[in-house]
Amino acid sequence: MNLEQAVLEKLRHLPVDKQQQLLDFAEFLSQKMTLKTPLQNVRGLCADLKVDISEEDIYQARQEMWGNFPRDII
């Protein structure tokens, strides 16, 4: 008897509510095994947009956002 047959044999002897719990657990394990798509960095996410952001562009954006920020916070 192989593993699959042994599991099916045990399953057949369980009450219906326990069979449902076993099915739920099997689905949980199956979802854990599915490959997750790796997260991409910002450059990877914008690669298809053909956006080229330079260090100078970032510097200017920071200056615009934080240029009037008070330096002496009490």
Side-chain angles (χ1 to χ4, degrees):
M1 179 182 298
N2 67 20
L3 182 60
E4 183 179 350
Q5 292 170 339
V7 170
L8 285 174
E9 185 64 30
K10 295 288 184 184
L11 175 69
R12 288 186 183 110
H13 294 290
L14 291 174
V16 175
D17 62 323
K18 298 296 181 185
Q19 290 179 3
Q20 183 61 50
Q21 286 181 358
L22 187 59
L23 176 61
D24 293 343
F25 183 66
E27 289 174 351
F28 167 75
L29 290 177
S30 177
Q31 287 176 358
K32 279 182 61 172
M33 295 299 298
T34 58
L35 297 175
K36 296 179 182 176
T37 56
L39 298 176
Q40 295 182 1
N41 62 18
V42 176
R43 289 186 193 271
L45 291 172
C46 298
D48 62 333
L49 300 177
K50 307 275 192 253
V51 176
D52 185 28
I53 300 173
S54 67
E55 292 292 326
E56 181 64 27
D57 295 333
I58 294 171
Y59 177 77
Q60 288 176 357
R62 285 181 180 154
Q63 289 297 89
E64 290 175 14
M65 288 188 300
W66 300 102
N68 294 330
F69 192 78
R71 301 285 183 217
D72 54 341
I73 298 175
I74 298 174

